[in-house]
Amino acid sequence: MIEKLRNIFITGLTQAFGKNITFIEPLIVPASNAKFGDYQCNVALSLGKTLKQPPRSIAQTIIDNINIDNIADFCEPLQIAGAGFINITIKPKYISQQINLVYQDERLGVVKTDKPQTTIVDFSSPNIAKEMHVGHLRSTIIGDSIARILEFRGHEVLRLNHVGDWGTQFGMLIAYLRLEKPEVLTTANAVEIGDLVTLYKQAKLKFDRDVEFQETARNEVVKLQSKDAESIKAWTLLCEQSRKEFEVIYRLLDIKLTERGESFYNPFLPQVIEDLETANILTEDQGAKCVFLDGFVNKEGNPLPLIVQKTDGGYNYATTDLAGLKYRVTQDKATRIIYVTDAGQSNHFTQVFQVAKKANFIPDNVDLVHVPFGLVLAEDGKKIKTRSGETIRLKDLLDEAIIRSKKDLENRLETEGRNESEDFINQVSKIVGLSAVKYADLSQNRTTDYKFSFDKMLALQGNTAPYLLYAYVRVQGISRKGNIDLNNLISDDNIILTEDSELVLAKHLLQLDFILQEVEKDLLPNRLCLYLFELSQKFNQFYDQCPILQAEEKVKLSRLVLADLTAKVLKQGLSLLGISVLERM
Ligand code: ARG
């Protein structure tokens, strides 16, 4: 519809002001409020300045130049409002035809992109021998949803897990284990991941205090880098142990990822340094090799360097990301590369992107995007911790969500006097608990911090997963109660939309395509969440105001189609957030 209106307006605009007229996109947007119609064109306001005419009269000129016959079959007469907005209202008859089309379409009206891109989403990316923390949970949930949405729009998506599996910390850890727990280095499963994390912390303490140990640790790094067989075996065991732990989380959350850790790029690091040399941007600064950055200065106001090779010859996090970029562009042939990490890494990515561009790693058609997110805070606004002050283990957090959702469910069953099987209770609690955690995260604008509250995210009211899941369940309830097979509804062009709540719901149902195209651009899944939340609200209003099963046959069919389409859009939308629906709850 937006595309259609856009073309009509462009024709009107050029007819009124000539071919060379320049205007600001988007030309047509969905109206912010139903009282302004369904769509708005605000172009007269921006043209006011260029053309030095009152926007209202420009708006009138545009309308006069739009051929009524081109729009009369779907659009009420155009209205000028306020300072010069043009309000556009779609005719109910047309909405009804569109609902029928979307209902017949298995993609629910969502078109595939006409410019499919090979896209990399680099997300989750925890570190070996360290615990996965809530920051990694955010990256996992947001990255997965972005990947799902881009895939659905028809892009080829490579989901990469850039795990921290290389670097000097392994020298330190291996050296420490050799002293304290040598069996870990030779036998699989000799240690639990929790213990590995503790050992890592102890190793770090020793490293910071003990000069002799620092030397031993450095030797271990050298051995590992020169691919000493024993060191590689130890390293492999450590990686496997951590990987097993990450897998538990990924399985629980239904996350698909291809692991391609930092170690993968190790062989390409020397070449990166050579490339920077060739591009003439490499400088030696106090023995370290670095690239000076535009727009970054240190406290003294001097240009800030990005170090790519340390004095001891070692490479770092940024060097690996540079090698990664080069590989992703030349080998993976990606044209959009998206990194999902906490906002604390924004500078890192700005710097790496800048250096990669200076080194000519990035052709013009390649888009590099950092998708930053804020912190997860406890309800008191402080950093989220266990009661004893430890960092929260992800697995525990997810388990607790499931336990709490089970308690809520059991209470509800008791109040409603329902009797359900153990299987039902477990399955529903699991889906509701995990969905609640995912949705609470995704429904926030990711750039802000958010407070983690089990009570809020599990509530049946408000912008929560249970509220949305419940709207879906309601539709399935109608079908059970009326003994109606929703898969066999025959809809036609005559969907009846007479009540306000029917029309409002129907119009909202037609917006999915627009919303997904927006998320594809700005990578903000919370826009999809808001859309689905509003859909559930509009459905509930419709459900309260319009009897379905008792209505006369034609109205009943129309309302069933609206209800079933709501369920289908909810199911599709939630699945793009990594959430599956329930038939009953
Ligand atoms: N391992 C890093 C961390 O835990 C995240 C890696 C993000 N991806 C990247 N290509 N740098 O903070």
Side-chain angles (χ1 to χ4, degrees):
M1 178 51 82
I2 288 193
E3 204 41 43
K4 186 164 163 160
L5 287 165
R6 187 175 170 272
N7 288 333
I8 289 168
F9 269 75
I10 289 178
T11 315
L13 272 169
T14 35
Q15 202 167 301
F17 304 109
K19 268 206 188 61
N20 295 328
I21 187 81
T22 46
F23 53 86
I24 301 171
E25 294 278 11
L27 199 51
I28 311 287
V29 290
S32 51
N33 187 319
K35 67 173 188 257
F36 305 135
D38 299 315
Y39 299 94
Q40 265 190 332
C41 172
N42 304 342
V43 72
L45 288 111
S46 56
L47 283 181
K49 286 187 202 95
T50 352
L51 299 172
K52 302 204 174 53
Q53 285 175 33
R56 282 189 74 101
S57 84
I58 297 178
Q60 191 57 57
T61 315
I62 298 173
I63 292 179
D64 294 343
N65 280 280
I66 286 176
N67 187 343
I68 303 274
D69 296 340
N70 282 347
I71 60 169
D73 60 333
F74 68 94
C75 191
E76 309 284 6
L78 299 170
Q79 301 282 345
I80 301 178
F85 302 99
I86 303 174
N87 292 347
I88 306 157
T89 304
I90 307 300
K91 286 186 172 162
K93 179 72 205 155
Y94 184 80
I95 305 280
S96 139
Q97 289 162 354
Q98 292 301 305
I99 286 286
N100 183 38
L101 285 179
V102 167
Y103 190 61
Q104 316 285 340
D105 176 12
E106 58 178 38
R107 292 183 54 87
L108 304 169
V110 178
V111 293
K112 284 200 176 178
T113 174
D114 52 2
K115 295 183 197 68
Q117 283 185 298
T118 301
T119 306
I120 287 179
V121 187
D122 174 320
F123 71 103
S124 194
S125 309
N127 301 315
I128 300 289
K130 295 192 196 166
E131 203 86 69
M132 225 171 153
H133 53 69
V134 275
H136 295 122
L137 178 69
R138 281 211 91 173
S139 175
T140 306
I141 294 173
I142 296 171
D144 177 57
S145 173
I146 288 177
R148 286 173 189 260
I149 292 168
L150 296 179
E151 283 155 3
F152 190 60
R153 280 278 297 147
H155 296 286
E156 165 119 29
V157 179
L158 191 55
R159 303 152 157 260
L160 288 186
N161 199 1
H162 190 83
V163 292
D165 63 354
W166 201 246
T168 42
Q169 78 265 27
F170 284 97
M172 183 184 82
L173 183 59
I174 293 176
Y176 188 77
L177 291 171
R178 234 185 259 298
L179 290 175
E180 302 292 333
K181 236 180 175 347
E183 68 274 19
V184 177
L185 300 174
T186 49
T187 338
N189 304 327
V191 68
E192 286 288 315
I193 181 77
D195 300 331
L196 197 58
V197 173
T198 315
L199 287 161
Y200 182 88
K201 285 185 192 147
Q202 290 167 353
K204 179 89 176 68
L205 278 180
K206 191 169 173 68
F207 186 85
D208 290 342
R209 284 197 205 124
D210 184 338
V211 189
E212 206 179 310
F213 179 67
Q214 285 174 14
E215 190 53 35
T216 328
R218 267 188 216 111
N219 288 335
E220 283 297 344
V221 179
V222 176
K223 269 171 78 185
L224 184 62
Q225 300 209 321
S226 61
K227 300 270 147 104
D228 168 81
E230 198 195 347
S231 306
I232 290 288
K233 171 155 195 214
W235 172 77
T236 312
L237 283 175
L238 293 174
C239 290
E240 272 168 10
Q241 191 59 44
S242 291
R243 201 172 284 135
K244 264 195 351 220
E245 191 69 10
F246 302 157
E247 269 311 313
V248 175
I249 305 273
Y250 295 146
R251 216 173 308 125
L252 203 55
L253 294 175
D254 186 24
I255 306 292
K256 303 220 166 30
L257 266 163
T258 303
E259 182 178 324
R260 200 199 271 166
E262 294 181 8
S263 64
F264 176 88
Y265 302 102
N266 199 41
F268 309 116
L269 299 177
Q271 184 61 45
V272 167
I273 305 296
E274 263 181 54
D275 292 341
L276 299 178
E277 192 103 61
T278 317
N280 252 326
I281 54 174
L282 201 66
T283 322
E284 283 230 12
D285 192 32
Q286 295 159 39
K289 292 192 173 151
C290 54
V291 179
F292 280 95
L293 299 154
D294 303 331
F296 287 91
V297 288
N298 62 15
K299 282 190 222 96
E300 290 79 40
N302 298 322
L304 198 74
L306 178 73
I307 298 178
V308 289
Q309 191 169 18
K310 294 179 280 185
T311 330
D312 64 7
Y315 305 101
N316 55 29
Y317 186 50
T319 328
T320 306
D321 267 328
L322 285 169
L325 268 173
K326 193 178 162 192
Y327 191 91
R328 291 166 183 195
V329 169
T330 56
Q331 305 303 306
D332 298 322
K333 309 245 181 298
T335 56
R336 196 180 190 198
I337 308 177
I338 298 170
Y339 296 83
V340 188
T341 79
D342 62 286
Q345 298 198 34
S346 293
N347 273 346
H348 163 77
F349 285 106
T350 316
Q351 297 176 351
V352 166
F353 294 170
Q354 190 191 101
V355 171
K357 283 177 188 158
K358 281 189 175 167
N360 294 322
F361 287 176
I362 315 297
D364 287 342
N365 66 333
V366 175
D367 208 10
L368 306 180
V369 202
H370 178 225
V371 167
F373 54 78
L375 302 173
V376 184
L377 304 171
E379 282 186 83
D380 57 7
K382 301 211 184 95
K383 248 185 125 173
I384 186 163
K385 291 254 161 73
T386 61
R387 265 180 225 115
S388 55
E390 308 271 314
T391 37
I392 291 206
R393 294 186 50 216
L394 271 192
K395 181 72 174 50
D396 296 345
L397 188 115
L398 297 174
D399 286 345
E400 170 140 14
I402 297 172
I403 292 171
R404 289 201 188 213
S405 110
K406 187 169 177 178
K407 269 201 203 110
D408 285 0
L409 175 60
E410 283 167 343
N411 286 341
R412 199 154 48 78
L413 291 180
E414 199 176 314
T415 338
E416 291 172 11
R418 277 164 64 191
N419 206 353
E420 298 284 359
S421 72
E422 197 56 30
D423 265 4
F424 174 87
I425 295 179
N426 286 335
Q427 198 222 356
V428 172
S429 332
K430 186 170 163 194
I431 293 202
V432 171
L434 296 175
S435 306
V437 172
K438 284 189 179 183
Y439 190 83
D441 199 317
L442 291 167
S443 57
Q444 303 293 319
N445 181 317
R446 58 173 165 71
T447 55
T448 55
D449 298 345
Y450 85 95
K451 289 188 186 159
F452 192 94
S453 158
F454 280 121
D455 288 338
K456 279 206 188 109
M457 67 178 74
L458 286 167
L460 264 176
Q461 289 302 327
N463 189 4
T464 64
Y467 180 75
L468 272 64
L469 291 173
Y470 194 68
Y472 181 87
V473 164
R474 268 189 146 173
V475 178
Q476 309 318 309
I478 301 170
S479 117
R480 278 192 300 271
K481 194 165 164 219
N483 215 344
I484 290 157
D485 181 3
L486 293 175
N487 293 321
N488 282 323
L489 284 185
I490 313 287
S491 81
D492 58 23
D493 267 3
N494 300 317
I495 305 288
I496 300 166
L497 302 171
T498 41
E499 299 300 317
D500 252 4
S501 58
E502 289 173 320
L503 203 54
V504 168
L505 174 62
K507 285 177 178 175
H508 199 75
L509 282 165
L510 300 178
Q511 299 289 331
L512 181 64
D513 180 47
F514 171 78
I515 294 293
L516 291 181
Q517 295 199 36
E518 290 296 296
V519 182
E520 174 185 20
K521 274 183 266 168
D522 58 25
L523 307 175
L524 289 171
N526 61 300
R527 301 191 60 169
L528 175 57
C529 294
L530 184 64
Y531 168 78
L532 296 173
F533 173 51
E534 288 177 349
L535 176 61
S536 308
Q537 286 180 313
K538 291 180 167 140
F539 170 75
N540 285 335
Q541 266 151 25
F542 155 79
Y543 184 83
D544 288 343
Q545 288 164 17
C546 302
I548 301 178
L549 296 175
Q550 284 82 19
E552 60 96 356
E553 219 36 48
K554 272 192 80 98
V555 177
K556 176 172 159 186
L557 178 67
S558 292
R559 290 183 178 168
L560 281 171
V561 167
L562 282 182
D564 190 34
L565 185 55
T566 301
K568 291 202 160 85
V569 170
L570 277 173
K571 183 174 180 176
Q572 178 62 61
L574 285 168
S575 97
L576 296 176
L577 302 173
I579 295 175
S580 42
V581 292
L582 290 159
E583 298 305 301
R584 298 192 306 125
M585 67 189 267

